[in-house]
Amino acid sequence: MHYGITDIAKMLGITTSAIRYFEKEQLISAGKEKNGHRYYDEEDVFRLLSYMKYRSMEIPMKQIITQFSGRENDWRVIKGRVEKAKEKALEKAEFYRNLASDIEQHLSSMELIESLAGKYEFDKSPAVIFVQDKAGGWLPKDRKKQMEAQKWVKDMPNVCLALQKAEGDEAGFGYLVSAKSCSEELLCVDLDKKEIPSASCVHTIVKAEEDFVYSPQKCFEKPLAYIGERGFHLKGNPWGKILLVEVEEGQHLHTYVELWLPIC
């Protein structure tokens, strides 16, 4: 039976140019009818379907074409290639399981916005690790340190954008990760790192002002006033993580920040 290029492309969900590429690479060999139209037979369909099977395993195109080129007549080689595809699939599955867990943690914090924004509770903070470049915050000036910061950026959303209030009025930006999920690679960076232990805190969520990125210390003002009015004292540096950024018309940013203020 003869099949046209459009019919095969539609069945396989690929373009006609892809089929012509497979011809060029000798995966298939088209015949020509008397009117000059190309046609493909059952063996071509079989080869293309076999190609799609291996491609669905995310085996690289070039490797599959080599497999069907006649230069690789050994089932053991093919089996080894499929085993490697399985290993990569398991690695991806583990990555996406971890990603789903990180997203779930992020959602748990976001769900607090409705009940905790502008309100206060007393709670135990998680143990975290805060890292920053003291001169540049999120983005160091030094090129070598920029590569170090890149490791933290790549580990989002396990890593969160964060800030910490230092002594006086200043507050600086950095990256935050749970002490439980911080890898050795993240710890071994040439940036300023601080372990923040679990502590009794005033816990709140604030909607920061539009100039948040220029004046992050402002988001601590009301929570600090709340602590002072109730006779508490700070026992360490307040810190927070950025939960959500809304953008209204005119490109105005509204940032929700979850804050932890250690008290005694």
Side-chain angles (χ1 to χ4, degrees), residues 117-159:
K119 301 175 184 177
Y120 302 91
E121 67 176 9
F122 296 93
D123 201 358
K124 203 88 168 173
S125 66
V128 297
I129 294 172
F130 181 80
V131 64
Q132 66 176 168
D133 178 73
K134 285 186 177 176
W138 287 319
L139 182 57
K141 296 286 187 181
D142 182 80
R143 290 292 174 86
K144 183 182 176 183
K145 288 188 176 183
Q146 287 173 7
M147 297 304 294
E148 299 282 84
Q150 186 184 98
K151 296 174 184 177
W152 283 71
V153 173
K154 283 187 174 180
D155 204 44
M156 291 179 179
N158 180 39
V159 165

CSV table of all heavy atoms in Angstrom, one decimal, residues 117-159:
chain,number,residue,atom,x,y,z
A,117,ALA,N,-2.2,38.6,56.4
A,117,ALA,CA,-1.8,39.9,55.9
A,117,ALA,C,-2.3,41.0,56.8
A,117,ALA,O,-3.5,41.1,57.0
A,117,ALA,CB,-2.3,40.1,54.5
A,118,GLY,N,-1.4,41.8,57.3
A,118,GLY,CA,-1.8,42.9,58.2
A,118,GLY,C,-2.1,42.5,59.6
A,118,GLY,O,-2.6,43.3,60.4
A,119,LYS,N,-2.0,41.2,59.9
A,119,LYS,CA,-2.3,40.7,61.2
A,119,LYS,C,-1.1,40.0,61.8
A,119,LYS,O,-0.1,39.9,61.1
A,119,LYS,CB,-3.5,39.7,61.2
A,119,LYS,CG,-4.7,40.3,60.6
A,119,LYS,CD,-5.8,39.2,60.4
A,119,LYS,CE,-7.0,39.8,59.7
A,119,LYS,NZ,-8.1,38.8,59.5
A,120,TYR,N,-1.2,39.6,63.1
A,120,TYR,CA,0.0,39.1,63.8
A,120,TYR,C,-0.3,37.9,64.6
A,120,TYR,O,-1.4,37.7,65.1
A,120,TYR,CB,0.6,40.2,64.8
A,120,TYR,CG,1.0,41.5,64.1
A,120,TYR,CD1,0.0,42.5,63.9
A,120,TYR,CD2,2.2,41.6,63.5
A,120,TYR,CE1,0.4,43.7,63.3
A,120,TYR,CE2,2.6,42.8,62.9
A,120,TYR,CZ,1.6,43.8,62.7
A,120,TYR,OH,2.0,45.0,62.1
A,121,GLU,N,0.6,37.0,64.7
A,121,GLU,CA,0.5,35.8,65.5
A,121,GLU,C,1.9,35.5,66.1
A,121,GLU,O,2.9,36.0,65.6
A,121,GLU,CB,0.0,34.6,64.7
A,121,GLU,CG,1.0,34.1,63.7
A,121,GLU,CD,0.5,32.8,62.9
A,121,GLU,OE1,-0.6,32.4,63.1
A,121,GLU,OE2,1.4,32.2,62.2
A,122,PHE,N,1.9,34.7,67.2
A,122,PHE,CA,3.1,34.3,67.8
A,122,PHE,C,3.3,32.8,67.4
A,122,PHE,O,2.5,32.0,67.6
A,122,PHE,CB,3.0,34.4,69.3
A,122,PHE,CG,2.9,35.8,69.8
A,122,PHE,CD1,1.6,36.4,70.0
A,122,PHE,CD2,4.0,36.7,69.9
A,122,PHE,CE1,1.4,37.7,70.4
A,122,PHE,CE2,3.8,38.0,70.3
A,122,PHE,CZ,2.5,38.5,70.6
A,123,ASP,N,4.5,32.6,66.9
A,123,ASP,CA,4.8,31.2,66.3
A,123,ASP,C,6.3,31.0,66.4
A,123,ASP,O,7.1,31.9,66.5
A,123,ASP,CB,4.3,31.1,64.9
A,123,ASP,CG,4.1,29.7,64.5
A,123,ASP,OD1,4.3,28.8,65.3
A,123,ASP,OD2,3.6,29.5,63.3
A,124,LYS,N,6.6,29.7,66.2
A,124,LYS,CA,8.1,29.3,66.1
A,124,LYS,C,8.5,29.4,64.7
A,124,LYS,O,7.8,28.8,63.8
A,124,LYS,CB,8.2,27.9,66.6
A,124,LYS,CG,9.6,27.5,67.1
A,124,LYS,CD,9.7,27.9,68.6
A,124,LYS,CE,11.0,27.3,69.1
A,124,LYS,NZ,11.3,27.7,70.5
A,125,SER,N,9.5,30.1,64.4
A,125,SER,CA,10.0,30.2,63.0
A,125,SER,C,10.8,29.0,62.6
A,125,SER,O,11.3,28.3,63.5
A,125,SER,CB,11.0,31.4,62.9
A,125,SER,OG,12.2,31.2,63.7
A,126,PRO,N,10.9,28.7,61.3
A,126,PRO,CA,11.7,27.6,60.8
A,126,PRO,C,13.2,28.0,60.9
A,126,PRO,O,13.5,29.1,60.9
A,126,PRO,CB,11.2,27.4,59.4
A,126,PRO,CG,10.8,28.8,59.0
A,126,PRO,CD,10.2,29.4,60.2
A,127,ALA,N,14.0,27.0,61.0
A,127,ALA,CA,15.5,27.2,60.9
A,127,ALA,C,15.8,27.4,59.4
A,127,ALA,O,15.5,26.5,58.6
A,127,ALA,CB,16.2,26.0,61.5
A,128,VAL,N,16.5,28.4,59.1
A,128,VAL,CA,16.8,28.7,57.7
A,128,VAL,C,18.3,29.2,57.6
A,128,VAL,O,19.0,29.5,58.6
A,128,VAL,CB,15.9,29.8,57.2
A,128,VAL,CG1,14.5,29.4,57.1
A,128,VAL,CG2,16.1,31.1,57.9
A,129,ILE,N,18.7,29.2,56.3
A,129,ILE,CA,20.1,29.8,56.0
A,129,ILE,C,19.9,30.9,55.1
A,129,ILE,O,19.2,30.8,54.0
A,129,ILE,CB,21.0,28.7,55.4
A,129,ILE,CG1,21.3,27.6,56.5
A,129,ILE,CG2,22.3,29.3,54.9
A,129,ILE,CD1,22.0,26.4,56.0
A,130,PHE,N,20.4,32.1,55.4
A,130,PHE,CA,20.3,33.3,54.6
A,130,PHE,C,21.7,33.6,54.0
A,130,PHE,O,22.7,33.6,54.7
A,130,PHE,CB,19.8,34.4,55.5
A,130,PHE,CG,19.7,35.8,54.8
A,130,PHE,CD1,18.5,36.0,54.1
A,130,PHE,CD2,20.6,36.8,54.9
A,130,PHE,CE1,18.3,37.3,53.5
A,130,PHE,CE2,20.5,38.0,54.3
A,130,PHE,CZ,19.3,38.2,53.6
A,131,VAL,N,21.7,33.9,52.7
A,131,VAL,CA,22.9,34.2,52.1
A,131,VAL,C,22.8,35.4,51.2
A,131,VAL,O,21.7,35.7,50.6
A,131,VAL,CB,23.4,33.0,51.2
A,131,VAL,CG1,22.5,32.7,50.1
A,131,VAL,CG2,24.8,33.2,50.6
A,132,GLN,N,23.8,36.3,51.2
A,132,GLN,CA,23.8,37.5,50.4
A,132,GLN,C,25.2,37.9,50.1
A,132,GLN,O,26.1,37.5,50.7
A,132,GLN,CB,23.0,38.6,51.1
A,132,GLN,CG,23.7,39.1,52.3
A,132,GLN,CD,23.0,40.2,53.0
A,132,GLN,OE1,23.4,40.6,54.2
A,132,GLN,NE2,22.1,40.9,52.4
A,133,ASP,N,25.3,38.9,49.2
A,133,ASP,CA,26.5,39.6,49.0
A,133,ASP,C,26.3,40.9,49.7
A,133,ASP,O,25.4,41.7,49.3
A,133,ASP,CB,26.9,39.8,47.5
A,133,ASP,CG,28.1,40.6,47.3
A,133,ASP,OD1,29.2,40.1,47.6
A,133,ASP,OD2,28.0,41.8,46.9
A,134,LYS,N,27.1,41.2,50.7
A,134,LYS,CA,26.9,42.4,51.5
A,134,LYS,C,26.9,43.7,50.6
A,134,LYS,O,26.2,44.7,51.0
A,134,LYS,CB,27.9,42.5,52.6
A,134,LYS,CG,27.5,41.5,53.7
A,134,LYS,CD,28.4,41.7,54.9
A,134,LYS,CE,28.0,40.7,56.0
A,134,LYS,NZ,28.9,40.8,57.2
A,135,ALA,N,27.7,43.7,49.5
A,135,ALA,CA,27.7,44.9,48.7
A,135,ALA,C,26.6,45.0,47.7
A,135,ALA,O,26.1,46.0,47.4
A,135,ALA,CB,29.1,44.9,48.0
A,136,GLY,N,26.2,43.8,47.2
A,136,GLY,CA,25.2,43.8,46.1
A,136,GLY,C,23.9,43.1,46.4
A,136,GLY,O,23.0,43.1,45.5
A,137,GLY,N,23.7,42.5,47.5
A,137,GLY,CA,22.5,41.8,47.8
A,137,GLY,C,22.3,40.6,47.0
A,137,GLY,O,23.0,39.6,47.1
A,138,TRP,N,21.3,40.6,46.1
A,138,TRP,CA,21.0,39.5,45.2
A,138,TRP,C,22.1,39.3,44.1
A,138,TRP,O,22.4,38.2,43.7
A,138,TRP,CB,19.7,39.7,44.5
A,138,TRP,CG,18.5,39.5,45.4
A,138,TRP,CD1,18.3,38.5,46.3
A,138,TRP,CD2,17.3,40.3,45.4
A,138,TRP,NE1,17.1,38.7,46.9
A,138,TRP,CE2,16.4,39.7,46.4
A,138,TRP,CE3,16.8,41.4,44.6
A,138,TRP,CZ2,15.2,40.2,46.6
A,138,TRP,CZ3,15.6,41.9,44.9
A,138,TRP,CH2,14.7,41.3,45.9
A,139,LEU,N,22.6,40.4,43.6
A,139,LEU,CA,23.5,40.4,42.5
A,139,LEU,C,24.9,41.0,42.9
A,139,LEU,O,25.0,42.2,42.9
A,139,LEU,CB,23.0,41.1,41.3
A,139,LEU,CG,23.8,41.1,40.0
A,139,LEU,CD1,24.1,39.7,39.6
A,139,LEU,CD2,23.1,41.9,38.9
A,140,PRO,N,25.9,40.2,43.2
A,140,PRO,CA,27.2,40.7,43.5
A,140,PRO,C,27.8,41.4,42.4
A,140,PRO,O,27.6,41.2,41.2
A,140,PRO,CB,28.0,39.4,43.9
A,140,PRO,CG,27.0,38.4,44.1
A,140,PRO,CD,25.8,38.7,43.3
A,141,LYS,N,28.7,42.4,42.7
A,141,LYS,CA,29.5,43.1,41.7
A,141,LYS,C,30.6,42.2,41.1
A,141,LYS,O,30.9,42.3,40.0
A,141,LYS,CB,30.1,44.4,42.3
A,141,LYS,CG,29.0,45.4,42.7
A,141,LYS,CD,28.4,46.1,41.5
A,141,LYS,CE,27.4,47.2,42.0
A,141,LYS,NZ,26.8,47.9,40.9
A,142,ASP,N,31.2,41.5,42.0
A,142,ASP,CA,32.3,40.6,41.6
A,142,ASP,C,31.8,39.5,40.7
A,142,ASP,O,30.9,38.8,41.0
A,142,ASP,CB,32.9,40.0,42.9
A,142,ASP,CG,34.1,39.2,42.6
A,142,ASP,OD1,35.2,39.7,42.4
A,142,ASP,OD2,34.0,37.9,42.6
A,143,ARG,N,32.5,39.2,39.6
A,143,ARG,CA,32.1,38.2,38.6
A,143,ARG,C,32.2,36.8,39.2
A,143,ARG,O,31.3,36.0,38.9
A,143,ARG,CB,33.0,38.3,37.4
A,143,ARG,CG,32.8,39.6,36.5
A,143,ARG,CD,31.4,39.5,35.9
A,143,ARG,NE,31.1,40.7,35.2
A,143,ARG,CZ,31.4,41.0,33.9
A,143,ARG,NH1,32.1,40.1,33.3
A,143,ARG,NH2,31.0,42.1,33.4
A,144,LYS,N,33.2,36.5,40.0
A,144,LYS,CA,33.3,35.2,40.6
A,144,LYS,C,32.1,35.0,41.5
A,144,LYS,O,31.5,33.9,41.5
A,144,LYS,CB,34.6,35.1,41.3
A,144,LYS,CG,34.8,33.7,41.9
A,144,LYS,CD,36.1,33.6,42.7
A,144,LYS,CE,36.2,32.2,43.3
A,144,LYS,NZ,37.5,32.1,44.2
A,145,LYS,N,31.8,36.0,42.3
A,145,LYS,CA,30.6,35.8,43.2
A,145,LYS,C,29.3,35.7,42.5
A,145,LYS,O,28.4,35.1,43.0
A,145,LYS,CB,30.6,37.0,44.3
A,145,LYS,CG,31.8,36.8,45.3
A,145,LYS,CD,31.6,37.9,46.4
A,145,LYS,CE,32.7,37.7,47.4
A,145,LYS,NZ,32.5,38.7,48.5
A,146,GLN,N,29.2,36.3,41.3
A,146,GLN,CA,28.0,36.2,40.5
A,146,GLN,C,27.8,34.7,40.2
A,146,GLN,O,26.6,34.3,40.2
A,146,GLN,CB,28.1,37.1,39.3
A,146,GLN,CG,28.0,38.5,39.5
A,146,GLN,CD,28.3,39.4,38.3
A,146,GLN,OE1,28.5,38.8,37.2
A,146,GLN,NE2,28.4,40.7,38.5
A,147,MET,N,28.8,34.0,39.9
A,147,MET,CA,28.7,32.6,39.6
A,147,MET,C,28.3,31.8,40.8
A,147,MET,O,27.5,30.8,40.7
A,147,MET,CB,30.0,32.0,39.0
A,147,MET,CG,30.4,32.7,37.7
A,147,MET,SD,29.2,32.5,36.4
A,147,MET,CE,29.2,30.8,36.1
A,148,GLU,N,28.7,32.2,42.0
A,148,GLU,CA,28.3,31.6,43.2
A,148,GLU,C,26.8,31.8,43.5
A,148,GLU,O,26.1,30.9,43.9
A,148,GLU,CB,29.1,32.1,44.4
A,148,GLU,CG,30.6,31.9,44.2
A,148,GLU,CD,31.0,30.5,44.6
A,148,GLU,OE1,30.9,29.6,43.7
A,148,GLU,OE2,31.4,30.3,45.8
A,149,ALA,N,26.4,33.1,43.2
A,149,ALA,CA,25.0,33.4,43.4
A,149,ALA,C,24.1,32.6,42.5
A,149,ALA,O,23.0,32.3,42.8
A,149,ALA,CB,24.7,34.9,43.3
A,150,GLN,N,24.6,32.3,41.3
A,150,GLN,CA,23.9,31.6,40.3
A,150,GLN,C,23.4,30.2,40.8
A,150,GLN,O,22.3,29.7,40.4
A,150,GLN,CB,24.7,31.4,39.0
A,150,GLN,CG,24.0,30.8,37.8
A,150,GLN,CD,24.9,30.6,36.7
A,150,GLN,OE1,25.4,29.5,36.5
A,150,GLN,NE2,25.2,31.6,35.9
A,151,LYS,N,24.2,29.6,41.6
A,151,LYS,CA,23.9,28.3,42.2
A,151,LYS,C,22.6,28.4,43.0
A,151,LYS,O,21.7,27.5,43.0
A,151,LYS,CB,25.0,27.8,43.1
A,151,LYS,CG,26.3,27.5,42.3
A,151,LYS,CD,27.4,27.1,43.3
A,151,LYS,CE,28.7,26.9,42.5
A,151,LYS,NZ,29.8,26.6,43.4
A,152,TRP,N,22.4,29.5,43.7
A,152,TRP,CA,21.2,29.7,44.5
A,152,TRP,C,20.0,30.0,43.7
A,152,TRP,O,18.9,29.5,43.9
A,152,TRP,CB,21.5,30.8,45.6
A,152,TRP,CG,22.3,30.4,46.7
A,152,TRP,CD1,23.6,30.1,46.7
A,152,TRP,CD2,21.9,30.1,48.0
A,152,TRP,NE1,24.1,29.6,47.9
A,152,TRP,CE2,23.0,29.7,48.8
A,152,TRP,CE3,20.6,30.2,48.7
A,152,TRP,CZ2,22.9,29.3,50.1
A,152,TRP,CZ3,20.6,29.9,50.0
A,152,TRP,CH2,21.7,29.4,50.7
A,153,VAL,N,20.3,30.8,42.6
A,153,VAL,CA,19.2,31.1,41.7
A,153,VAL,C,18.6,29.8,41.0
A,153,VAL,O,17.4,29.6,40.9
A,153,VAL,CB,19.6,32.1,40.6
A,153,VAL,CG1,18.6,32.3,39.6
A,153,VAL,CG2,20.0,33.5,41.3
A,154,LYS,N,19.6,29.0,40.6
A,154,LYS,CA,19.2,27.7,39.9
A,154,LYS,C,18.4,26.8,40.8
A,154,LYS,O,17.7,25.9,40.3
A,154,LYS,CB,20.4,27.0,39.4
A,154,LYS,CG,21.0,27.7,38.1
A,154,LYS,CD,22.1,26.8,37.5
A,154,LYS,CE,22.6,27.4,36.2
A,154,LYS,NZ,23.7,26.6,35.6
A,155,ASP,N,18.5,26.9,42.1
A,155,ASP,CA,17.8,26.0,43.1
A,155,ASP,C,16.5,26.5,43.5
A,155,ASP,O,15.8,26.0,44.4
A,155,ASP,CB,18.7,25.8,44.3
A,155,ASP,CG,18.4,24.5,45.0
A,155,ASP,OD1,18.2,23.4,44.3
A,155,ASP,OD2,18.2,24.4,46.2
A,156,MET,N,16.0,27.6,42.8
A,156,MET,CA,14.6,28.0,43.1
A,156,MET,C,13.6,26.9,42.5
A,156,MET,O,14.0,26.3,41.5
A,156,MET,CB,14.3,29.3,42.4
A,156,MET,CG,15.0,30.6,42.9
A,156,MET,SD,14.6,32.0,42.0
A,156,MET,CE,15.5,33.3,42.9
A,157,PRO,N,12.5,26.7,43.1
A,157,PRO,CA,11.8,27.4,44.2
A,157,PRO,C,12.2,26.9,45.6
A,157,PRO,O,11.6,27.4,46.6
A,157,PRO,CB,10.3,27.3,43.9
A,157,PRO,CG,10.3,25.9,43.3
A,157,PRO,CD,11.5,25.7,42.5
A,158,ASN,N,13.1,25.9,45.7
A,158,ASN,CA,13.6,25.5,47.0
A,158,ASN,C,14.2,26.7,47.7
A,158,ASN,O,14.1,26.9,48.9
A,158,ASN,CB,14.6,24.4,46.8
A,158,ASN,CG,15.2,23.9,48.1
A,158,ASN,OD1,14.4,23.8,49.1
A,158,ASN,ND2,16.5,23.6,48.2
A,159,VAL,N,15.0,27.5,46.9
A,159,VAL,CA,15.5,28.8,47.4
A,159,VAL,C,14.5,29.9,47.2
A,159,VAL,O,13.8,29.9,46.2
A,159,VAL,CB,16.8,29.1,46.7
A,159,VAL,CG1,17.2,30.5,46.9
A,159,VAL,CG2,17.9,28.1,47.1
